[in-house]
Amino acid sequence: MIFLCNKLYSGKKTYTTSIFWKAGVLLVKLNGHSPVDLIINNRKRIEKIFAILLVFSLICIPMVGVNYDLTEYLPDSTSSAQALDIMESEFTYPGMGRVMLEDVTLYEAKNIKDRIADVDGVDMVMWCDTSTNIYGSSQFIDYSDIEDYYKDGDAYMDIIFLEKDSSSRTHAAVREIEQIVGDRGLVAGSAVSDTNLGPTINAEVARVMVLAVIIIFLILTITTTSWFEPVLFLSVLGIAIIINMGSNIIFGEISFLSNAVGAVLQLACSMDYSIFLLHAFTEEKANGIAPEQAMANALRSAFSSIGASGATTIVGFLALALMRFGIGPDMGFVLAKGIFLSLVTVLLLMPALILRFQGLVAKTQHRPFIPKQWRGFGEFAYKIRKPVLIVVLLLIIPCYIAQGMADFTYGNEAVANSEGTAVYEAEQQMNEKFGQSNMMLALVPLDGNITEKAMTEELGDLPYVKYALGLASALPEGIPEDFLPDSLTSMLHSENWARVIINVRSAGESDAAFAYADEIRSIIDKYYPGEQTYLVGVTPSTQDIKAIIVPDNNLVNIVSLLGVALVVAITYKALFLPVVVLIPIESAVFINTAMPYIYGQRTMFLGFIIVSCIQLGATIDYSILLTGNYLDARAQGDKKEAAVRAVTVSAESILTSGMILMTVAYGLYFMTSVEAISGLGQLIGRGALISMLLVLFLLPECLIIFDRWIVKPGYAEKKHEKMNRIRGKKLEIPVLSELHRQRLALHAQLRENRRARHKAFRSRLHAVLHSKNSHPAEQEPDSKKEETDHEHK
């Protein structure tokens, strides 16, 4: 987004088509009045409607569910999604946890292990007591055989819960286990991460939002000329944000990414709409036009620019909805809906509030804090335009190649085990002492215990497998399965499926883990050829996410690029101009997404896709603004003067808007400990910075190079005619019937009578109080006389 307002009140309006306005007229025109007339004449009703929506949204916000599990967004056709459905119907999909006890004996560890096993929601606790008699003499215990579970006075246990990580029952069990362990050890694992993730994200994002509001307020205070204007802007967008958050109830549940970044991105990307409208109104009013008519002119002149600006952002977000991985549509619809609601709020509610508080805005005027002359900056940009072009040409191809070569993460580990969180630190200590633990579950047909036992034993012999546990392998020889209670057999056998638990010494997401999962699958297929089998867990799910999300990247990039180009082409009524305005933005996207590879930084691939759409949709307006200013100046001068003038007029707007987006994005980066959110913030913030620089220093040269193809004759005359038409339309005040006039007069008389009664009551009350206060003073001489007489007698 950009501060298009400065463009307007400086007398240079962005060249945009009126197609959006004409569409609005056709849709909204009622009773012979234009949409602008309806908005201004019904502003009190609009305020009441938004007040009702605000209250309703505040009620709905707590009812919106938040999902932290990326695997739930896998398409139904993937193996992991099918396996999860079977697991939940036949066994339930279990959450996983890890416990390490420090400085304990075997007997103390056994006591704590039994207490954990009795916690409601815990299915199994895997420890060495299943294979070793820990109550025997220590001389008969081979400690080398149990070093995966007990070493140097420390004990390690794997916990399998009855329900999934995100279950409230699992969360309660985790809290109880943390109390049992206390300060004697550490608790970690995916279930623990999920339990702590929601409160952690909510607290951190709340701090980011507060910081963003403070910094944005300071930026707006510096760049505007009234102390109250920033309050007005933030209030309008705050209402839009709350309505968007409450309206998410239509989805029932949204992802943690949409919940975390939706509000802050909506604030950063749509701030300019309200600023544009207010300063358009200020310019019209400065010409001596009545407030209502000035607002009508401002709406008509600002609508096409605001509509085009919002449309590019919405198109960029909606491109995410084409992803097969479900979190893309989730974020795309939530973010696009937020921008749309911001547009509606600015165009409907903002005029009412501006007219209501115009006096307060005027009373709180202050002198400008920054100079309005940017001529020197424009001349500097013109001087370095060619070196910048050469540098970009040298970088663009290597960056395009490098953007796909970074070290990416794809699954839940980027969400759950982020560096800096308590769970991450606990995981590192456990891994250092007992090695990594990666739980996988094999689902095989219930064909017979002999095949299952042979497969389980071969899996258990793999060097990277800690243990492989199935009912067939754990069942004592000669004991039929029917002799065991159903409470034990149902953990590993259902009516149709057998479940084998495989603990692998690896991280959940790594090249080694992917290789181990492939080998385990090949062993399973060897014992069950031609039959449907599944491997479930963090690693298999991550492999499926990777297979889905990588092809999604190309589709999303192409669609978002074509969509934004279409909006620009309609705005300018030109087919070639979109290519020019997209050059600096696409170059900035390539450079930004190549940075993780250049720095050797691990980044989440999902954020890599999302940032391309956000950066394109949110910063293309920088190019639109500068291009419009170039066309304005080109109608009056040569190419050099047009380029200098374009940067001079646009610099403040672009830098201010970019600073707002960078502030919000880097706030997410520095103040959140969840890798998926902080990484996305870094990408967006850095992208906004690079886009700003390339638009200011690269785009002028591109406009000069392609000048002959983008400058149309008669541009200035057409624009002048358009503004004359806008200012020539007079606001139509509704004609009141005689009965309506009488009703209004009656209401006015009732109000006057009520004020008179209140005034009379206050006067009588004041007189009574004054009389009581003065009475003691009047009686004082008589009292003193009685006292004197009494003493005399």
Side-chain angles (χ1 to χ4, degrees):
M1 287 307 120
I2 53 176
F3 271 21
L4 296 172
C5 58
N6 291 338
K7 172 65 176 167
L8 183 60
Y9 69 75
S10 63
K12 301 299 181 182
K13 303 173 184 62
T14 305
Y15 176 58
T16 51
T17 181
S18 60
I19 185 171
F20 301 102
W21 178 249
K22 292 176 182 177
V25 170
L26 293 175
L27 291 173
V28 187
K29 196 168 186 180
L30 296 171
N31 298 328
H33 294 283
S34 71
V36 170
D37 298 339
L38 294 173
I39 291 171
I40 296 175
N41 293 329
N42 295 278
R43 55 185 183 272
K44 291 184 178 180
R45 294 177 183 174
I46 291 174
E47 289 177 351
K48 293 177 182 179
I49 292 172
F50 273 93
I52 295 172
L53 290 175
L54 181 65
V55 173
F56 181 75
S57 298
L58 288 171
I59 296 172
C60 292
I61 287 174
M63 303 179 188
V64 180
V66 181
N67 181 23
Y68 298 92
D69 187 1
L70 295 181
T71 59
E72 293 193 13
Y73 293 101
L74 283 168
D76 294 336
S77 58
T78 60
S79 175
S80 292
Q82 296 172 3
L84 290 175
D85 290 340
I86 295 174
M87 187 77 75
E88 290 182 357
S89 62
E90 301 271 343
F91 300 99
T92 74
Y93 181 51
M96 304 293 181
R98 306 173 71 188
V99 169
M100 187 176 78
L101 303 173
E102 299 172 323
D103 193 21
V104 293
T105 64
L106 280 171
Y107 312 116
E108 291 173 330
K110 169 64 175 174
N111 178 52
I112 295 175
K113 181 253 184 183
D114 290 340
R115 291 174 62 192
I116 293 174
D118 291 336
V119 171
D120 179 51
V122 173
D123 189 356
M124 289 183 283
V125 181
M126 312 299 296
W127 194 52
C128 60
D129 60 338
T130 57
S131 59
T132 302
N133 181 17
I134 65 169
Y135 293 111
S137 171
S138 60
Q139 297 178 352
F140 296 99
I141 297 177
D142 187 352
Y143 286 91
S144 62
D145 290 341
I146 61 172
E147 62 182 5
D148 284 338
Y149 303 101
Y150 187 81
K151 183 192 303 181
D152 301 329
D154 295 342
Y156 172 84
M157 305 168 190
D158 284 311
I159 303 173
I160 301 177
F161 294 92
L162 287 169
E163 298 180 7
K164 59 184 179 179
D165 290 330
S166 58
S167 165
S168 58
R169 186 180 182 187
T170 301
H171 290 177
V174 167
R175 296 302 184 200
E176 189 172 346
I177 292 170
E178 289 176 338
Q179 293 179 357
I180 293 172
V181 173
D183 58 359
R184 303 200 64 180
L186 303 169
V187 183
S190 57
V192 182
S193 298
D194 197 284
T195 302
N196 297 326
L197 193 59
T200 299
I201 291 178
N202 292 337
E204 291 176 346
V205 172
R207 289 197 296 269
V208 171
M209 199 66 179
V210 171
L211 178 65
V213 168
I214 293 173
I215 295 180
I216 290 173
F217 181 85
L218 294 176
I219 293 173
L220 293 177
T221 301
I222 294 172
T223 56
T224 59
T225 58
S226 171
W227 298 105
F228 186 72
E229 285 182 12
V231 177
L232 189 60
F233 300 151
L234 291 170
S235 299
V236 170
L237 288 183
I239 292 172
I241 288 170
I242 292 174
I243 294 175
N244 186 44
M245 294 174 67
S247 63
N248 286 333
I249 197 171
I250 63 177
F251 303 124
E253 181 181 77
I254 62 175
S255 71
F256 73 97
L257 276 175
S258 301
N259 187 59
V261 306
V264 291
L265 286 182
Q266 184 181 353
L267 176 64
C269 292
S270 55
M271 175 63 67
D272 307 323
Y273 310 150
S274 56
I275 300 174
F276 185 18
L277 184 60
L278 177 60
H279 286 280
F281 168 74
T282 304
E283 183 194 19
E284 294 292 331
K285 190 178 176 184
N287 294 329
I289 303 175
E292 287 79 6
Q293 184 62 52
M295 178 54 67
N297 294 347
L299 278 170
R300 291 188 175 100
S301 62
F303 184 87
S304 58
S305 297
I306 292 177
S309 179
T312 56
T313 308
I314 291 173
V315 167
F317 289 157
L318 284 179
L320 294 171
L322 299 176
M323 293 175 59
R324 290 180 297 162
F325 190 45
I327 204 168
D330 179 276
M331 288 198 69
F333 289 132
V334 170
L335 295 176
K337 177 168 63 69
I339 299 300
F340 174 76
L341 289 173
S342 293
L343 286 170
V344 172
T345 306
V346 167
L347 293 174
L348 297 183
L349 179 63
M350 188 74 177
L353 297 183
I354 291 175
L355 292 174
R356 177 180 291 275
F357 295 109
Q358 57 180 311
L360 187 56
V361 171
K363 290 178 182 178
T364 57
Q365 292 288 324
H366 63 74
R367 64 177 181 82
F369 291 114
I370 57 176
K372 294 300 181 181
Q373 297 299 324
W374 290 78
R375 179 73 185 187
F377 186 84
E379 292 176 350
F380 172 74
Y382 182 79
K383 289 178 181 178
I384 67 169
R385 71 193 191 286
K386 290 185 178 180
V388 170
L389 176 62
I390 294 171
V391 171
V392 171
L393 290 176
L394 292 175
L395 290 177
I396 195 66
I397 295 178
C399 287
Y400 177 77
I401 297 172
Q403 64 176 342
M405 299 173 61
D407 183 15
F408 293 114
T409 60
Y410 299 90
N412 277 326
E413 285 205 345
V415 178
N417 301 328
S418 301
E419 187 173 353
T421 60
V423 176
Y424 176 84
E425 300 300 330
E427 289 275 2
Q428 297 307 305
Q429 293 185 47
M430 292 182 189
N431 293 342
E432 183 178 354
K433 186 73 177 183
F434 290 99
Q436 295 174 316
S437 178
N438 179 19
M439 199 78 72
M440 302 185 197
L441 302 171
L443 285 177
V444 297
L446 198 62
D447 291 345
N449 288 341
I450 296 176
T451 304
E452 180 189 335
K453 182 177 181 179
M455 181 196 71
T456 304
E457 289 177 348
E458 183 171 347
L459 291 174
D461 291 338
L462 294 172
Y464 50 81
V465 172
K466 284 186 179 180
Y467 60 82
L469 176 64
L471 183 61
S473 62
L475 193 67
E477 192 171 347
I479 302 297
E481 182 179 332
D482 295 342
F483 280 24
L484 298 178
D486 183 66
S487 59
L488 293 177
T489 59
S490 62
M491 296 180 183
L492 297 172
H493 278 186
S494 69
E495 183 179 352
N496 302 304
W497 296 91
R499 182 169 71 171
V500 178
I501 303 172
I502 309 162
N503 194 314
V504 177
R505 295 184 180 90
S506 74
E509 182 175 346
S510 64
D511 292 338
F514 294 160
Y516 298 158
D518 292 339
E519 186 174 1
I520 291 171
R521 282 194 190 90
S522 65
I523 293 174
I524 296 173
D525 293 339
K526 182 177 70 174
Y527 283 93
Y528 295 90
E531 297 188 72
Q532 184 65 60
T533 59
Y534 299 97
L535 186 62
V536 192
V538 173
T539 301
S541 297
T542 303
Q543 287 179 298
D544 282 344
I545 292 175
K546 182 178 180 180
I548 292 293
I549 204 172
V550 172
D552 280 347
N553 180 42
N554 296 328
L555 175 64
V556 168
N557 283 337
I558 293 173
V559 171
S560 61
L561 186 63
L562 292 177
V564 170
L566 180 62
V567 172
V568 175
I570 294 175
T571 301
Y572 286 94
K573 296 182 179 178
L575 295 177
F576 187 75
L577 195 59
V579 177
V580 181
V581 299
L582 282 169
I583 287 175
I585 304 301
E586 276 301 294
S587 300
V589 170
F590 294 155
I591 295 173
N592 183 34
T593 51
M595 288 295 181
Y597 173 76
I598 295 172
Y599 289 139
Q601 181 182 18
R602 199 178 192 201
T603 186
M604 192 173 184
F605 195 83
L606 182 60
F608 180 78
I609 297 177
I610 293 170
V611 74
S612 299
C613 297
I614 293 177
Q615 184 178 347
L616 176 63
T619 63
I620 188 65
D621 299 334
Y622 305 167
S623 284
I624 293 176
L625 173 62
L626 195 141
T627 301
N629 286 329
Y630 177 86
L631 294 175
D632 289 345
R634 188 68 177 88
Q636 302 173 6
D638 59 11
K639 291 186 285 187
K640 175 183 176 181
E641 178 59 28
V644 174
R645 175 68 178 168
V647 176
T648 301
V649 176
S650 309
E652 181 183 349
S653 303
I654 294 174
L655 291 173
T656 307
S657 180
M659 288 296 297
I660 290 177
L661 185 55
M662 286 174 56
T663 296
V664 172
Y666 274 111
L668 291 171
Y669 172 59
F670 287 112
M671 298 182 65
T672 56
S673 58
V674 179
E675 182 182 337
I677 298 174
S678 64
L680 183 60
Q682 184 186 34
L683 285 169
I684 295 174
R686 188 172 59 210
L689 174 62
I690 298 173
S691 294
M692 278 194 310
L693 296 177
L694 292 190
V695 167
L696 290 172
F697 300 115
L698 174 64
L699 182 57
E701 178 64 11
C702 296
L703 293 171
I704 291 173
I705 292 174
F706 297 102
D707 180 88
R708 69 176 64 181
W709 292 285
I710 62 176
V711 175
K712 294 182 178 180
Y715 167 75
E717 291 77 7
K718 291 179 181 178
K719 185 175 180 180
H720 185 69
E721 291 174 3
K722 175 186 174 183
M723 294 309 301
N724 286 338
R725 285 196 305 271
I726 289 175
R727 291 193 170 99
K729 293 181 179 179
K730 300 302 179 182
L731 180 67
E732 296 182 13
I733 306 298
V735 178
L736 302 179
S737 64
E738 185 62 29
L739 181 61
H740 196 179
R741 286 198 188 94
Q742 294 177 4
R743 188 183 300 115
L744 292 177
L746 177 61
H747 285 309
Q749 186 62 49
L750 291 174
R751 284 195 299 270
E752 289 298 325
N753 293 342
R754 186 165 54 249
R755 292 194 189 101
R757 289 195 301 271
H758 291 167
K759 183 177 180 180
F761 176 76
R762 288 194 297 269
S763 298
R764 289 195 298 271
L765 182 62
H766 179 72
V768 171
L769 293 176
H770 181 72
S771 176
K772 288 183 178 180
N773 291 335
S774 62
H775 183 70
E778 295 172 358
Q779 299 297 326
E780 187 176 355
D782 295 337
S783 300
K784 288 185 177 180
K785 182 178 179 182
E786 290 176 1
E787 258 183 3
T788 304
D789 293 343
H790 179 72
E791 290 174 357
H792 178 70
K793 291 178 181 180

